[in-house]
Amino acid sequence: MTADKKQQAIQLLKQGLETVQERAYTEIAEIPTEEQEDFEVKYSFVHDGIEGIFTVIGKSGIAAEKEVPLKVTLLSEFPEDSLLYDSATAKEQVDNDLLGAEAYLNSHINQG
């Protein structure tokens, strides 16, 4: 993934999460990664009065040919102390929201 595609993917992730009406997501910071095909962005969320922080990890396969469309997989990673949030539902909702953001990202990343 080129640096431009990585930045585009991060922007599309943000746009995808902004479409979620039930929860509020705020981008905190992009985390530098050593892997060229990956990106990480730290986010905060508010769900039913529960606030938390998690990291979105974006992984893309290495496209050997330019004709192969780029596909990004999004994963969430919560800190060890996230058990203090006392809500598995919040984590499940974040993961469900990431599935929607992933679909949005992948539908737009290869356009133009």
Side-chain angles (χ1 to χ4, degrees), residues 27-58:
E27 181 179 337
I28 297 173
E30 181 180 346
I31 301 168
T33 58
E34 292 185 20
E35 295 295 323
Q36 182 179 358
E37 302 304 317
D38 299 347
F39 62 86
E40 294 184 17
V41 183
K42 192 166 288 290
Y43 269 87
S44 67
F45 71 94
V46 178
H47 170 76
D48 288 342
I50 298 170
E51 297 181 22
I53 294 175
F54 67 103
T55 301
V56 177
I57 301 167

Side-chain angles (χ1 to χ4, degrees), residues 16-25 44-50 89-90 92-94 96-98 100:
L17 288 176
E18 285 175 350
T19 65
V20 177
Q21 299 297 316
E22 296 82 19
R23 281 160 292 289
Y25 290 99
S44 67
F45 71 94
V46 178
H47 170 76
D48 288 342
I50 298 170
T89 303
E92 289 172 15
Q93 290 299 324
V94 166
N96 286 337
D97 293 344
L98 282 180

